[in-house]
Amino acid sequence: MTGATMVGAGGGEVIGDSPERRVEILCEHDPLHATVSRFGPGRDGADLHVHRSHSDVFYVLEGELTVRLGAQDRQVALPAGTLALVPPPVVHGFRNASDADVRYLNFHAPGSGFAAYMRGLREGRSVGFDQHDPPQDGGRPVSEASIGAAEELAGGRRLLADTEEIAIAELSATQAEHVHARHVEAFYVLEGTLELMLAGEAVRAEQGAWVTVPAGVRHAVGGEARYLDVHAPNAGFAAHLRGDATAFDQE
């Protein structure tokens, strides 16, 4: 697949696995690091913190994830199918405050060493990462985080995130063969089977699979599936979905 990779459901690099918590690394490219996690009932995640130079994004797959926001620790419950995008330096944390398991995807854009940081936690060693205590001034206003928002577009498409660093959409459409010269595209299969051509090789991605397509790899998308389409950086993808392809990094 000439640099493209697929991770089947449950097949990511395991950071931790217990009845209370499982974390897997799915993607580790400079513009995008991604993990998938399961937290048991009442399981705490990260305490309040900020990122100074990258965005932290959560997409809930199953159950309910509680995102903590601001120095006042405002807590917002996100149900399955919703996304929270926290830009730098908005104070935030997260936990499972419910009485059932929660499964969620976590994106860091750009990656900023997140995967290496998680490996350090697994191995009991300190690894530098863009994560810091809440600043005394309270950080960026909480109102600048995007919590549960979705822009409904034609054809049943939903735009979930649109910042310079990352764009995320929920799609079911096929895509003709194309290539991106300057950014990473990735797919997570929510339902059904995604049939991809990756540098001329046919690949079937079932529900729960993650596929990363680096810049320069020609690819096409088919099959019957509902999936997340992630572009990092955005590179004009959100504008493309709205009908303006003039600035989109695609050939």
Side-chain angles (χ1 to χ4, degrees):
M1 294 185 286
T2 317
T5 58
M6 183 175 75
V7 178
E13 179 186 346
V14 178
I15 293 299
D17 189 12
S18 71
E20 294 79 27
R21 170 182 175 267
R22 179 179 173 89
V23 180
E24 303 171 36
I25 296 173
L26 300 176
C27 175
E28 186 180 4
H29 285 257
D30 286 348
L32 177 70
H33 287 194
T35 58
V36 61
S37 298
R38 172 188 51 78
F39 276 19
R43 172 79 190 202
D44 285 332
D47 289 333
L48 294 178
H49 61 279
V50 297
H51 306 299
R52 294 173 181 162
S53 60
H54 79 276
S55 293
D56 199 353
V57 185
F58 305 87
Y59 179 88
V60 184
L61 296 167
E62 297 176 10
E64 183 179 272
L65 181 70
T66 294
V67 177
R68 304 165 58 189
L69 295 167
Q72 293 73 35
D73 200 5
R74 173 189 166 205
Q75 303 204 8
V76 181
L78 291 178
T82 56
L83 180 142
L85 186 148
V86 184
V90 172
V91 175
H92 66 289
F94 61 93
R95 64 187 299 258
N96 180 7
S98 77
D99 58 3
D101 282 0
V102 62
R103 291 182 63 249
Y104 64 93
L105 297 166
N106 185 201
F107 309 120
H108 290 255
S112 304
F114 178 65
Y117 168 74
M118 294 299 288
R119 292 188 189 100
L121 293 179
R122 178 184 64 194
E123 297 160 9
R125 54 187 176 85
S126 178
V127 175
F129 175 54
D130 175 31
Q131 182 161 306
H132 313 276
D133 291 336
Q136 291 186 348
D137 64 5
R140 192 171 173 179
V142 168
S143 60
E144 296 190 29
S146 176
I147 309 298
E151 183 178 344
E152 304 293 337
L153 302 173
R157 300 170 300 169
R158 302 175 71 231
L159 182 60
L160 305 177
D162 177 15
T163 69
E164 183 177 345
E165 297 80 13
I166 190 168
I168 305 173
E170 184 180 309
L171 306 177
S172 58
T174 60
Q175 301 181 35
E177 186 178 63
H178 60 280
V179 65
H180 307 298
R182 299 180 301 278
H183 77 278
V184 172
E185 183 172 12
F187 307 92
Y188 182 86
V189 183
L190 298 168
E191 295 177 347
T193 301
L194 205 59
E195 298 177 355
L196 301 121
M197 290 295 294
L198 301 173
E201 180 178 342
V203 175
R204 289 172 59 88
E206 306 289 348
Q207 181 175 343
W210 171 275
V211 179
T212 305
V213 184
V217 177
R218 298 199 68 85
H219 56 287
V221 179
E224 296 289 335
R226 184 170 64 90
Y227 60 95
L228 295 181
D229 194 351
V230 183
H231 292 249
N234 190 320
F237 177 61
H240 169 70
L241 288 180
R242 296 187 185 103
D244 179 7
T246 56
F248 186 33
D249 171 31
Q250 178 168 303
E251 297 177 0

